[in-house]
Amino acid sequence: MTDIADRYRRHADDFESKVAAVRPEQWDNPSPCARWSARDVVGHIVVMHGVMLRPLGRRPSRAPSVEKDPLAAFRAARADVEAVLDDPGLAAAPCETPSGPLTAEQHIDRVVSDDLVLHGWDLARATGQDETMPADDVERMWRGTSAIPAEVMEKFRTPGAFGPGVEVFGAEVPVPEDAPLQDRLLGLIGRDPR
C-alpha cells in the first residue's frame, strides 16, 4: 500500500466517523460553505469521489442517495476510490486534470483526500463536533496551498472556473499572522475559523 492510499484511508476513516456522529436533526444545519447544509457537505464529497473515477472510465457503484442515507452513500463512494487505490494499474493510470497531468492516485490525493480533511472541518463545525484537523495534514496542506501561484489561486477562487457551480476556494478570510496554522489554512481557502 502506498503513502497516498494510507493517507486516503486515514482521512476517510476520520470523515466517516464524523458522518456517523451526525444526529438526524442536524443534517439541515448550515455549514461554513455558503448555501450548504451538513448534508450538502457530504453530498459534495460523494460527488467528488465520482469525479475521481471519470478519467478512468469508471462510474460510481449503485448506492443509497445522500438524501436517504448519507453514511451509506459515503461508504459506497469510499469503496469505489479504495478499489482504484488498491489496483496498482489503476492507481498509476495517467489522468488529465485541471492541475495538469497526474496519476489517478495523485489526483485522488490532491482532491478528495484533502477534501475529506477540509470538509470534515465544515461538517464538524456544522454539527458541533471536534474541529481539530491533524497537525501533519494541516502543515502539508499549508505548504501546498500557500505555494499556489497568485494567478492559479485566482482561478481557484473564481466560481464556475472548473465547471458550473464549482468553486474550489472562497475569498480569503483575513487571519492574524500569529494565529494557529489551522486557522491560517482555513482563512486562506476562504473559511472563517472564528
Side-chain angles (χ1 to χ4, degrees):
M1 194 177 307
T2 67
D3 289 345
I4 287 174
D6 285 343
R7 181 166 40 245
Y8 173 83
R9 282 183 170 78
R10 182 169 47 84
H11 293 171
D13 285 345
D14 289 347
F15 189 82
E16 185 173 318
S17 70
K18 287 178 174 67
V19 175
V22 177
R23 297 188 309 273
E25 70 274 11
Q26 293 179 312
W27 283 114
D28 291 328
N29 288 4
S31 81
C33 298
R35 302 176 303 281
W36 281 6
S37 66
R39 186 183 308 274
D40 294 330
V41 171
V42 178
H44 169 75
I45 288 291
V46 168
V47 166
M48 290 307 295
H49 275 65
V51 169
M52 297 298 100
L53 304 176
R54 286 184 204 151
L56 302 170
R58 297 170 73 99
R59 299 175 61 99
S61 301
R62 291 181 57 94
S65 70
V66 172
E67 199 59 41
K68 182 175 182 181
D69 189 339
L71 183 57
F74 174 69
R75 285 177 172 160
R78 174 184 183 172
D80 289 337
V81 165
E82 287 178 338
V84 171
L85 294 172
D86 289 344
D87 181 318
L90 286 174
C95 295
E96 285 302 320
T97 77
S99 299
L102 299 170
T103 65
E105 72 173 357
Q106 289 170 329
H107 194 206
I108 289 166
D109 193 41
R110 293 184 189 181
V111 179
V112 295
S113 190
D114 284 350
D115 259 11
L116 290 168
V117 177
L118 299 170
H119 288 303
W121 181 86
D122 294 326
L123 188 59
R125 172 63 60 101
T127 58
Q129 298 184 53
D130 183 1
E131 300 173 5
T132 307
M133 294 187 276
D136 58 333
D137 288 325
V138 171
E139 289 172 16
R140 182 181 51 77
M141 287 188 286
W142 172 259
R143 282 193 308 273
T145 307
S146 63
I148 295 172
E151 64 277 3
V152 175
M153 186 61 90
E154 186 61 34
K155 185 174 182 183
F156 284 166
R157 294 190 195 284
T158 303
F162 295 102
V166 177
E167 185 176 335
V168 179
F169 297 140
E172 185 170 1
V173 175
V175 175
E177 288 184 21
D178 62 349
L181 191 58
Q182 175 173 308
D183 290 0
R184 292 165 48 211
L185 174 64
L186 289 166
L188 182 62
I189 65 167
R191 305 288 197 278
D192 187 345
R194 296 174 292 274

